[in-house]
Amino acid sequence: MDAAALPPSPRTRVRRVAELANYTPAALHAIIDAAYLCHIAFQDEQGRHCIPTACWRIGGHLYIHGSNGSRMLKQLLRDTDVCVAVTHLDGLVLARSAFNHTMNYRSAMIYGQFEKVSDIGQQHAAMDALMEKLAPGRLAQVRGGSAKEYAATTVLRIALDECAVKQRTGGPLDDAGDMAHVVWTGELPFTHGRGAAIADARNTSALPAYAAAWETESA
């Protein structure tokens, strides 16, 4: 950890392979900013749930949105303590023993409670930030949200105050007693590639720069 690291809480302290932990905001922000989806675990009267949803970050908060009628969003507004997970799988790691096989990954866990973004100006700004994350520059080209659409949408945010990052890179860590075993070892990486933009059959506009660049940008 560096000087900017946040002290871990009892539930964010990484105990299993603790050397892979990172509590710095920079590491946390990088993982969130590279993601389009998060998974939210919560409990209601029907049991425990883990639901995927779109996410984005503004400053020290992670944002989500949905319909006013969303069961999950309604529950999250009832002072529900939640856990939010973001994970990127980067590769499989093949070792000399079955036990030492592992994966390379970047993961973040966020604990706390969501709050509603009630201010209309902040709600609009948050939705604009989501559009800019999806396709920078597109916001200026599309029809903006109507009053009716904004009124039907709930925007929530959770502070990035109680979080932990765990990430692994590199090859296998073989036991000394296994080094004489003859077998291929190494990494099988996942490439997070992007395909070429596909125009809708009813499209009537030229390909914009952000869509043309999609295939060549790193995910």
Side-chain angles (χ1 to χ4, degrees), residues 2 10 21 26 29-30 54 59 89 91 105 111 113 119 128 132 139 146 149 161-162 169 177 184 207 210 212 219:
D2 62 29
H29 294 173
L89 180 60
Y105 59 89
Y111 290 91
Q113 296 180 349
D119 180 83
D128 288 350
E132 282 299 295
L139 180 64
S146 67
E149 290 167 339
D161 294 336
E162 189 180 3
T169 60
W184 188 90
L207 185 69
Y210 56 79

Side-chain angles (χ1 to χ4, degrees), residues 56-179:
W56 68 104
R57 182 182 66 87
I58 302 175
H61 290 83
L62 178 139
Y63 285 73
I64 64 172
H65 78 298
S67 164
N68 292 345
S70 164
R71 180 188 65 169
M72 179 179 74
L73 268 59
K74 288 180 178 179
Q75 181 62 31
L76 295 182
L77 289 174
R78 297 178 184 142
D79 296 325
T80 299
D81 201 46
V82 303
C83 177
V84 182
V86 177
T87 304
H88 303 281
L89 180 60
D90 296 321
L92 307 180
V93 181
L94 279 56
R96 287 175 170 79
S97 70
F99 183 81
N100 283 329
H101 281 58
T102 186
M103 299 180 185
N104 285 334
Y105 59 89
R106 292 160 288 146
S107 65
M109 303 287 286
I110 303 158
Y111 290 91
Q113 296 180 349
F114 277 95
E115 62 180 0
K116 183 177 181 179
V117 179
S118 299
D119 180 83
I120 297 300
Q122 292 182 4
Q123 181 201 31
H124 290 194
M127 296 303 296
D128 288 350
L130 172 59
M131 180 59 67
E132 282 299 295
K133 175 183 174 67
L134 296 177
R138 187 168 178 80
L139 180 64
Q141 299 177 342
V142 299
R143 176 183 68 80
S146 67
K148 181 179 179 180
E149 290 167 339
Y150 279 118
T153 302
T154 297
V155 177
L156 303 182
R157 68 179 190 176
I158 186 171
L160 302 176
D161 294 336
E162 189 180 3
C163 311
V165 165
K166 191 175 181 182
Q167 48 194 348
R168 187 193 190 280
T169 60
L173 299 176
D174 288 302
D175 295 337
D178 293 328
M179 294 305 294

